[in-house]
């Protein structure tokens, strides 16, 4: 293992950093609802099986959020995950945003916000995800390719 690989944050650390970044955002009048909606998107995107990730993943997530008839925010997250990635991957670091999705009193407003204004929220989530998590994902893919070529 090289020094570069050792200093690279783990996926768990990257998810935690993304969660903290969402917590620290200044989002104006509907801050609580927007943050909770972003946390729900973090849970969805963070748990997706890498096998389903492609250039249309954010479109698919938005499509299933709009199409969902879920009555709660937690049911919406579950509905979208089961439609996009039935074999999703749970990460320990997703526990905090999941807990927020279940516990926040602003969850009904966040669910409505997700369904009515999904495109700007997905764009914001994509920006957060690209900054904190996707560079780590790319490195993992490169490592797998390198190990396969040495085998």
């Amino acid at each position: 293992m090289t020094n570069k690989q050792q200093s690279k944050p783990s996926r768990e650390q990257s998810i935690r950093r993304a969660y903290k970044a969402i917590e620290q955002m200044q989002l104006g009048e509907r801050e609580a609802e927007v943050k909770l909606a972003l946390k729900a998107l973090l849970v969805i995107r963070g748990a997706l099986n890498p096998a389903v990730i492609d250039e249309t993943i954010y479109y698919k997530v938005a499509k299933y959020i709009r199409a969902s008839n879920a009555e709660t925010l937690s049911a919406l997250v579950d509905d979208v995950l089961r439609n996009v990635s039935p074999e999703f991957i749970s990460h320990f670091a997703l526990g905090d945003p999941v807990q927020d999705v279940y516990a926040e009193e602003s969850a009904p407003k966040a669910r409505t916000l997700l369904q009515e204004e999904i495109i700007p929220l997905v764009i914001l989530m994509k920006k957060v995800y690209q900054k904190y998590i996707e560079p780590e994902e790319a490195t993992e893919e490169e490592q797998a390719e390198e190990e396969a070529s040495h085998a």
Side-chain angles (χ1 to χ4, degrees), residues 13 65 71 80 82 108 111 122 133:
Q13 291 169 326
I65 286 174
E71 294 184 13
V80 173
R82 293 195 185 283
R111 182 191 52 80
V122 165
I133 301 169

Side-chain angles (χ1 to χ4, degrees), residues 26-74:
Q26 302 293 316
L27 298 166
E29 184 177 309
R30 299 187 294 178
E31 184 170 322
E33 293 87 15
V34 174
K35 283 182 179 181
L36 190 54
L38 289 173
K39 290 173 188 177
L41 287 171
L42 177 63
V43 171
I44 292 167
R45 179 61 179 88
L48 292 176
N49 187 322
V52 303
I53 307 295
D54 61 17
E55 61 277 349
T56 65
I57 194 60
Y58 291 101
Y59 166 77
K60 290 175 190 173
V61 168
K63 178 178 96 172
Y64 284 112
I65 286 174
R66 281 190 180 141
S68 178
N69 291 325
E71 294 184 13
T72 65
L73 184 58
S74 56

Side-chain angles (χ1 to χ4, degrees), residues 91-105:
H91 294 281
F92 185 76
L94 291 172
D96 289 334
V98 167
Q99 184 176 353
D100 293 345
V101 165
Y102 275 94
E104 291 281 333
E105 58 188 59

Side-chain angles (χ1 to χ4, degrees), residues 10-25:
S10 71
R11 182 163 181 82
E12 298 287 329
Q13 291 169 326
S14 298
I15 290 171
R16 282 190 186 94
R17 284 195 338 239
Y19 176 77
K20 286 179 185 176
I22 291 169
E23 281 286 306
Q24 295 172 355
M25 289 179 171

